[in-house]
Structure formats: structure tokens, C-alpha cells
Amino acid sequence: MRVVIQRVSHASVTIEGVCKSAIGEGFMILVGIEEADTQEDADWLCRKIVGLRVFDDENGVMNRSITDINGEILVISQFTLMASTKKGNRPSYIRGARHETAIPLYEYFCNELEIALGKKVGTGEFGADMKVELLNNGPVTICMDTKNKE
């Protein structure tokens, strides 16, 4: 699994002109899933994400986690994160998981984040044409890949 985590002041996702989810301060997370990914990958990411200390403390130092600030999370499926650009100019998405693998793992990931966060996590809609808006705070953007845990 591959994620791009952005610390945001606010974020939202709109589908066919209707706002599906919106959050205030917290994380907007893009997640890409490949066939080889498992629930163990999702569990590892959840632990890392909830424990990330990238929010400012009283001294302006990034030393607080999302739970410390009572922040919110918006998770958007993003198969293009699995793109390979090694050959030519047209990305290949062959590493991206098929729906029957990706959807249950995406839902599991979102559910585990909700448990770890202690509140509802906003989501997009798997496979939909989504319009995502956010105000990146910092900017702070962190990429993680479960294939590079070391």
C-alpha cells in the first residue's frame, strides 16, 4: 500500500456536484493498493499515521499527533499512486489492485483508522470521478509505502 498524507486545515471531496465528505484540521490521505497488499499492510499504515507527530505544539514544534489535536481524517482511493513510469510517457497501472482486492482492503483501512482515531473518517467513493479540495497546512506532505518499511 502506498499513501500520500497531507496535513490540512480543511479538505473535502465532491462527487457529481455533491459534497460526499468534508473535514477540518487533520489529514487528507490518498491511498493506492496493489494486489500483494494485505490487512497487515493496512494495520502498519494505521499505526504510523495515527502516531505521526507533525502538528505543532505550544512552541511551534511539530511534536503532536492527530489524536493529540483531536484532528480529522479524509481518505481518498487513488489507484494512480501505483503508476509505473519506467517505460515511455504513458503511465502503466498494472500494479494497481483489481476491485475485488482493493475495495475490501480500502474499506478495512478506513475502518481501522476510525477505530484508531476514535471517530468517523471521511471517505470518497471507490472508482468515482472525485473532485478533491484541500488547504495543505505547512505545507506538510508525507509519503509512505508498506514495501519500504525499513
Side-chain angles (χ1 to χ4, degrees):
M1 289 177 77
R2 196 175 279 172
V3 294
V4 175
I5 303 160
Q6 295 183 305
R7 184 180 77 176
V8 298
S9 297
H10 60 83
S12 65
V13 59
T14 301
I15 302 167
E16 295 182 9
V18 178
C19 181
K20 166 95 169 55
S21 297
I23 64 165
E25 184 178 26
F27 289 143
M28 199 284 300
I29 301 172
L30 303 174
V31 59
I33 299 169
E34 66 180 12
E35 282 298 323
D37 290 329
T38 67
Q39 289 183 352
E40 291 167 2
D41 292 307
D43 292 339
W44 183 83
L45 280 172
C46 286
R47 284 191 304 275
K48 294 295 281 185
I49 290 166
V50 172
L52 272 179
R53 297 185 333 185
V54 296
F55 294 93
D56 293 347
D57 64 14
E58 60 280 352
N59 297 315
V61 177
M62 289 195 297
N63 200 29
R64 299 178 78 201
S65 71
I66 192 151
T67 55
D68 292 335
I69 66 149
N70 196 29
E72 298 178 279
I73 295 177
L74 174 61
V75 181
I76 306 294
S77 62
Q78 181 88 32
F79 78 94
T80 59
L81 287 179
M82 305 316 293
S84 172
T85 56
K86 289 181 180 180
K87 291 184 179 178
N89 293 320
R90 184 169 186 253
S92 168
Y93 304 107
I94 197 164
R95 285 186 56 202
R98 294 184 314 270
H99 281 88
E100 50 275 5
T101 300
I103 292 172
L105 192 52
Y106 170 77
E107 291 172 351
Y108 176 83
F109 176 66
C110 293
N111 186 61
E112 292 302 302
L113 272 178
E114 286 182 356
I115 292 167
L117 191 62
K119 64 170 77 171
K120 186 82 173 139
V121 167
T123 62
E125 184 177 310
F126 199 92
D129 180 16
M130 297 176 276
K131 307 302 180 206
V132 179
E133 292 186 54
L134 64 122
L135 180 59
N136 191 319
N137 182 356
V140 174
T141 302
I142 296 173
C143 301
M144 288 187 203
D145 190 322
T146 58
K147 303 305 181 258
N148 297 316
K149 294 178 186 173
E150 308 295 309

